[in-house]
Amino acid sequence: EISKENSGFFIYRNGRLIRWGDDLDGIITKDDFNVRIRMDLETAHDDVLHVDITKQRLEIDDETRNKLKAIVDKALVTAKNIRVDCQDKLKSTKNEEGLGFTATIENVSEDDPDLITGQLNSEIIKRRNDSAIDGENAKQELDIKIDDEAHHSFRKIVYSEKVDYGMVWKAFYDATEGVFVGINKNHPFYKEFLSRYPENSTERIVSEALIFSVGLAERNTRDNFVEVDVEIFNRIFKKFHNNVNNWLAEWSGENINLAE
């Protein structure tokens, strides 16, 4: 649980903290995480480390640095192994992605708030039928198993490597179950952030809720706003998803160490 800002050497002189988060002449690098080293100095060490009059600046000679580095390198190997093990544990999967979120929306309506219940004209019905056909095709394309033997649950959020390139997610409509959303496992946002949270954790479910809400809004807009031609919607939402994809990909790359 040692953050990047709290890594490195914490150097005390006669019990008083004089340096913190120090790399001590590059012994600890900016890529070394979850390692903190406490060094206790006394007045007798002032000459060895060339402590200046402010008692806050010091210099380390090559011989002392090499001795310290030999000790610290062992700790860095341990820290790296722990970090890798923790990341593997967080990423371990039980094929339960999306189940926790699905359970949270059993009593949450997906109806368009601008559409009176039962107010379905022929154009809306036609669009929903077309969407349902696309949804059936998507189940096969995304390898979605509706009758999951282990859980027998239709997942409203599904993770797949087959979501269209250039999309963080894609929303579909099922004639029986309603809207479901496929999240792109190849996108940097999933790889660097979503996947770091355990399946069905609060952090993951909250993120899924945000994505699902946008997917639901898109599907309701496409299917129920019949005043706009479908092809115009296709162009608008293609532009929309392209912007979301590009921004989140760049943001994920710039903040790759944020979750550390």
Side-chain angles (χ1 to χ4, degrees), residues 109-115 117 128 216 220 224:
S109 173
E110 296 181 10
D111 294 338
D112 189 329
D114 294 328
L115 192 65
T117 303
R128 288 191 178 182
L216 173 65
N220 280 343
N224 302 335

Side-chain angles (χ1 to χ4, degrees), residues 173-214:
Y173 178 78
D174 179 82
T176 303
E177 303 291 346
V179 173
F180 63 98
V181 176
I183 295 179
N184 190 351
K185 295 180 71 172
N186 289 321
H187 196 276
F189 184 68
Y190 172 82
K191 290 184 174 181
E192 300 299 335
F193 294 98
L194 283 182
S195 65
R196 297 191 181 213
Y197 296 116
E199 297 173 350
N200 304 318
S201 64
T202 300
E203 295 87 352
R204 182 79 81 95
I205 290 174
V206 169
S207 299
E208 291 167 345
L210 287 171
I211 293 174
F212 183 85
S213 68
V214 181

Side-chain angles (χ1 to χ4, degrees), residues 25 27 60-73:
D25 198 23
I27 294 179
I60 184 171
D61 58 56
D62 290 343
E63 181 180 359
T64 304
R65 182 187 183 281
N66 291 337
K67 289 180 179 179
L68 277 174
K69 189 174 185 305
I71 297 171
V72 172
D73 281 349

Side-chain angles (χ1 to χ4, degrees), residues 39-104:
M39 178 183 287
D40 287 287
L41 307 178
E42 297 176 359
T43 304
H45 300 113
D46 287 354
D47 291 339
V48 178
L49 296 177
H50 308 287
V51 179
D52 73 353
I53 193 171
T54 67
K55 312 304 181 187
Q56 291 186 326
R57 297 184 60 186
L58 52 86
E59 296 178 6
I60 184 171
D61 58 56
D62 290 343
E63 181 180 359
T64 304
R65 182 187 183 281
N66 291 337
K67 289 180 179 179
L68 277 174
K69 189 174 185 305
I71 297 171
V72 172
D73 281 349
K74 297 176 183 178
L76 292 178
V77 171
T78 301
K80 182 178 180 180
N81 289 338
I82 291 173
R83 182 183 174 204
V84 170
D85 287 344
C86 288
Q87 288 179 335
D88 288 342
K89 189 173 184 66
L90 286 173
K91 291 183 179 180
S92 63
T93 175
K94 297 179 181 178
N95 193 30
E96 294 181 353
E97 286 182 315
L99 281 176
F101 169 76
T102 300
T104 67

